[in-house]
Amino acid sequence: MTRKILILDGHPAQGSYCEALTKSYAKGAARAGHDVRVHRLAEMTFNPDFGTSDFKKAPPLEPDLQAFWDDLVWCDHLVLAHPLWWGGLPARLKGLFDRALLPGKAFKYNRGKDMPDPLLKGRSSRILMTSDTPPVFFRWIYDSSVKKQTQRQILKFVGFSPNRFSQFASMIKSTPDQRKDWLDKVEDLGRRAA
């Protein structure tokens, strides 16, 4: 079954290993016949600051954010590659979510309900996170906090499920062979749209 896959390179700079991961995933997905669209955070122009305390006064989406939103609605599978910075998402990537995932579009508040209804149901995701933090520290010392934030508080909140997660670490200690092996594994994930 072919899928409509949106890939977001969530690293705010060009030439990162996140970019290499997204290229490998896209290569595998395209070879398997999936329909693939790619956005690169480093190439997008938008103000990441929501800038108001009232959703009703949300600033209009700049063209790059609108294009991302349109492709998010189009896709049935999202692939997000991002680095772990200071235990969380890069600020610009968080700003993309702050600006693009708006009530009435990504979720809907309902009177009398504690949680809003997700409006992007029927989509799955794969998170590809790079970090210098070793996996054991990420899980046991830092409680996988950014994984929980991205999977549960962002993607699941708006309807994405299941949300799979892959960590590539420790980048600073990885060898060229290890990095090539990771790219091969990600290319295989792309072929399977997993």
Side-chain angles (χ1 to χ4, degrees), residues 3 9 25 30 44 55-56 70 78 83 89 107-108 116 131 142-143 159 168 176:
R3 301 196 68 191
D9 173 0
Y25 194 102
M44 297 173 74
F55 280 126
K56 292 176 184 168
D70 292 343
L78 170 68
L89 300 173
F107 59 95
K108 180 182 175 189
S131 75
Y142 299 120
D143 198 27
F168 301 92

Side-chain angles (χ1 to χ4, degrees), residues 34-165:
H34 300 291
D35 194 357
V36 178
R37 296 180 185 176
V38 179
H39 289 259
R40 300 200 182 287
L41 185 65
E43 297 171 1
M44 297 173 74
T45 302
F46 65 95
N47 181 355
D49 185 0
F50 189 75
T52 179
S53 63
D54 185 351
F55 280 126
K56 292 176 184 168
K57 296 178 183 173
L61 299 182
E62 295 90 342
D64 286 341
L65 278 184
Q66 186 63 55
F68 172 76
W69 171 256
D70 292 343
D71 284 347
L72 194 62
V73 171
W74 163 84
C75 80
D76 54 42
H77 186 64
L78 170 68
V79 177
L80 167 62
H82 72 84
L84 175 69
W85 283 1
W86 292 107
L89 300 173
R92 189 162 166 72
L93 177 58
K94 177 64 169 55
L96 179 141
F97 292 130
D98 290 346
R99 291 286 316 284
L101 301 179
L102 298 173
K105 294 174 79 171
F107 59 95
K108 180 182 175 189
Y109 288 113
N110 291 302
R111 179 168 274 146
K113 290 179 86 174
D114 290 334
M115 294 298 290
D117 291 330
L119 299 179
L120 296 174
K121 289 182 180 178
R123 295 163 177 83
S124 59
S125 72
R126 165 70 65 176
I127 300 161
L128 308 170
M129 186 193 76
T130 61
S131 75
D132 290 333
T133 303
V136 68
F137 282 83
F138 180 71
R139 277 191 304 274
W140 298 108
I141 305 298
Y142 299 120
D143 198 27
S144 305
S145 59
V146 75
K147 175 183 176 185
K148 291 176 183 176
Q149 177 192 28
T150 309
Q151 282 184 314
R152 298 178 194 173
Q153 294 178 284
I154 298 174
L155 296 174
K156 187 175 181 183
F157 186 87
V158 299
F160 283 81
S161 182
N163 300 300
R164 295 179 179 90
F165 183 88

